Amino acid sequence: MPEAILKPSWRLRANQKRVYALVDCNSFYASCERHPLWRPDLAGQAIVVLSNNDGCVIARSAEAKKLGYKMGDPFFKIRDQLAEQGVHVFSSNYTLYDDLSNRVMMTLADMVPELEVYSIDEMFADLTGIPGLQSFGEELRNRVWNWVGIHVGVGISTTKTLSKLSNWAAKNWKGLGGVAVVLDDQRHELLLKRAPIDEVWGAGRRYAERLKAMGIDTAWHLACCDDQQIGKDFGVLLRRTVLELRGLPCAELQLEAPPKKNIVSSRAFSSRQKGWQPVEQSIASYVARAAEKLRAQGSVCRRIDVGLIVRTATQDSFQDTWSIASAKVSTHTDDTLMLQGAAINLAKRIFDKEAVYAKSSIALGEICQPSDLSQDMFALAPTQSEVSRVLDSINTKFGKGALRTGVTVGDASWSMQRGHLSPYYTTRLADLPKLR
């Protein structure tokens, strides 16, 4: 690999124009479950959080990681071991996680000039011009803990890729106290040499094995590569990653998330289902959820896809057999009732009364903003349903599912299995923590 020499064009202090921070909640799902306000008894305890239908591990506390549990471990295989080791098990409580995420983001939004919500537990912030960045990073961390009760790590550097890598250092290097500021050449070089390629944003998940086979094991090795050759071999996105590792910003903050071009809603049933009722209910429920997301971004759609899945066990895992139907509605719309009707008619086309179904899914496509549609004298105008908006406002005020269409009412034996679900704590009056 190239010699370990920090090239003049990489020198952060000389080329510093922008400063970014990446704030990331530590073991977020597990932190929500053992929040000091409602479960202080779980402080320091091993915790795992399970996927939909309690299928596999999707989150672990640091203590559970030390015990060797991995992402994707099937719950049925480790159930007894978890009990023997006293590991606390929770089903996914996305209502709770979403609410605490919003509280974290609102707390940070009061402290930084501009921010980009990157995921449920991460945000980028522009800190350009803010003095005393080490102290400011510590203030960010303390504010979130004091106001929301969630620990965060803070990484600060001159590009989004370096700030994310600095965040990895903040959470893994002892002595940093959860805040890593990488704005000088010495820390820059040290970070690149110590960070494994797996931890580089934009490289790890997609390209780590190919890069390692080429002898590119660290962020330093990648930064030293010929960026143009990397672009030819791997594409423009990884070339931008190389440049960002050198301290040359290629990505600005996205202050507003772009509208989704496709919205998918799908869940595996809690148990195999036979008959029309669970299929109809699940399809109608998924459409209602997807249409609510569609309206939230101010969009309309034209296309809808419906899928029904039969799952057969094999020697190694399982095999899915899909039945799929698609159609276009008469005009672009965000109307839940219109979309539900179209989806149910599609499901009837592919439904087999003898089949035993494991899953259903719907997808909304050909999504756009009403203002983007070019109209002619023969085209139907897009419909934006006032009734559906009233439904959204009532459900926002009184809770999801407070008002819904009749087809979704009844015995939902197909709905998601969550045998280890914690209370909602912050979004349901009956679940509010009680002082004794």
Side-chain angles (χ1 to χ4, degrees):
M1 294 308 301
E3 284 187 35
I5 300 173
L6 193 66
K7 299 179 181 180
S9 60
W10 300 10
R11 299 191 182 279
L12 296 189
R13 192 181 299 278
N15 294 292
Q16 192 178 122
K17 295 179 181 179
R18 310 290 294 182
V19 177
Y20 297 98
L22 188 280
V23 184
D24 181 17
C25 301
N26 299 345
S27 303
F28 182 57
Y29 289 179
S31 297
C32 292
E33 296 293 353
R34 66 178 180 193
H35 194 282
L37 186 59
W38 44 81
R39 291 302 304 268
D41 58 304
L42 295 182
Q45 299 291 309
I47 292 172
V48 297
V49 179
L50 305 176
S51 63
N52 296 333
N53 289 314
D54 294 343
C56 63
V57 174
I58 59 169
R60 308 151 294 160
S61 66
E63 296 80 8
K65 293 176 184 178
K66 290 180 180 178
L67 291 174
Y69 294 104
K70 297 180 174 58
M71 295 287 283
D73 281 347
F75 180 50
F76 77 92
K77 287 187 176 181
I78 61 174
R79 186 196 309 265
D80 294 338
Q81 182 179 343
L82 290 167
E84 290 174 2
Q85 295 182 323
V87 179
H88 300 271
V89 178
F90 293 93
S91 302
S92 299
N93 189 341
Y94 295 116
T95 301
L96 176 65
Y97 308 154
D98 285 342
D99 185 64
L100 287 179
S101 172
N102 289 334
R103 292 169 188 249
V104 170
M105 301 307 172
M106 290 174 64
T107 299
L108 293 169
D110 284 339
M111 301 183 67
V112 299
E114 293 181 333
L115 63 84
E116 171 193 339
V117 177
Y118 179 65
S119 69
I120 192 172
D121 63 346
E122 294 177 283
M123 61 149 282
F124 288 102
D126 189 340
L127 304 188
T128 306
I130 294 178
L133 287 170
Q134 180 69 38
S135 299
F136 186 74
E138 293 169 359
E139 185 181 353
L140 287 174
R141 195 166 185 270
N142 293 334
R143 176 79 65 88
V144 174
W145 170 248
N146 291 330
W147 287 21
V148 190
I150 298 292
H151 284 301
V152 300
V154 181
I156 299 173
S157 195
T158 60
T159 70
K160 292 172 73 174
T161 301
L162 281 176
S163 68
K164 194 165 176 64
L165 203 59
S166 300
N167 184 279
W168 165 80
K171 293 195 293 185
N172 289 277
W173 293 2
K174 294 181 179 180
L176 291 180
V179 178
V181 180
V182 180
L183 293 175
D184 62 71
D185 301 334
Q186 184 177 1
R187 289 191 179 191
H188 180 207
E189 186 168 342
L190 181 64
L191 175 66
L192 293 182
K193 289 178 178 178
R194 289 192 179 181
I197 194 66
D198 310 73
E199 297 297 336
V200 176
W201 184 40
R205 291 184 180 180
R206 296 181 62 186
Y207 303 122
E209 294 305 317
R210 287 177 61 189
L211 291 169
K212 288 178 182 178
M214 298 167 60
I216 302 173
D217 298 316
T218 66
W220 176 260
H221 291 154
L222 184 59
C224 290
C225 288
D226 182 335
D227 60 278
Q228 293 188 358
Q229 188 61 47
I230 287 289
K232 292 178 182 178
D233 294 341
F234 293 89
V236 66
L237 293 180
L238 193 60
R239 185 191 177 203
R240 290 176 182 172
T241 297
V242 172
L243 296 176
E244 289 232 329
L245 286 175
R246 297 174 182 174
L248 305 173
C250 298
E252 300 292 333
L253 293 187
Q254 290 188 355
L255 303 182
E256 293 185 7
K260 294 182 179 179
K261 297 300 183 182
N262 290 280
I263 298 177
V264 178
S265 187
S266 176
R267 292 285 187 278
F269 297 148
S270 59
S271 59
R272 302 295 191 266
Q273 299 292 319
K274 187 175 183 180
W276 171 246
Q277 184 181 14
V279 169
E280 182 183 38
Q281 278 190 346
S282 63
I283 292 294
S285 297
Y286 298 160
V287 169
R289 186 179 305 148
E292 184 178 350
K293 294 179 180 178
L294 185 72
R295 291 188 293 273
Q297 65 179 34
S299 299
V300 290
C301 76
R302 182 79 186 275
R303 178 187 174 94
I304 186 163
D305 302 293
V306 171
L308 300 178
I309 297 92
V310 174
R311 178 164 293 171
T312 306
T314 64
Q315 184 175 358
D316 297 325
S317 56
F318 55 81
Q319 181 177 356
D320 287 344
T321 303
W322 287 71
S323 299
I324 302 173
S326 305
K328 291 185 178 183
V329 291
S330 57
T331 183
H332 281 83
T333 185
D334 65 4
D335 189 331
T336 294
L337 294 176
M338 181 184 292
L339 294 170
Q340 280 182 334
I344 290 171
N345 286 334
L346 288 173
K348 287 178 179 178
R349 289 190 206 170
I350 58 177
F351 173 70
D352 180 355
K353 65 180 180 180
E354 300 300 327
V356 179
Y357 290 107
K359 185 178 181 181
S360 65
S361 68
I362 70 97
L364 303 183
E366 295 188 23
I367 294 175
C368 63
Q369 301 301 102
S371 58
D372 295 336
L373 294 171
S374 58
Q375 297 297 320
D376 58 55
M377 63 185 296
F378 301 106
L380 294 174
T383 60
Q384 293 180 278
S385 171
E386 291 301 325
V387 172
S388 296
R389 278 166 173 68
V390 171
L391 184 147
D392 291 343
S393 64
I394 291 174
N395 286 333
T396 298
K397 183 174 182 180
F398 296 101
K400 289 185 178 181
L403 184 64
R404 48 194 167 134
T405 55
V407 70
T408 63
V409 177
D411 177 25
S413 58
W414 53 271
S415 60
M416 188 165 52
Q417 174 184 328
R418 292 191 286 181
H420 303 271
L421 183 64
S422 57
Y424 289 107
Y425 293 121
T426 61
T427 58
R428 183 184 290 172
L429 286 175
D431 290 346
L432 286 177
K434 297 178 178 62
L435 295 176
R436 297 180 180 176

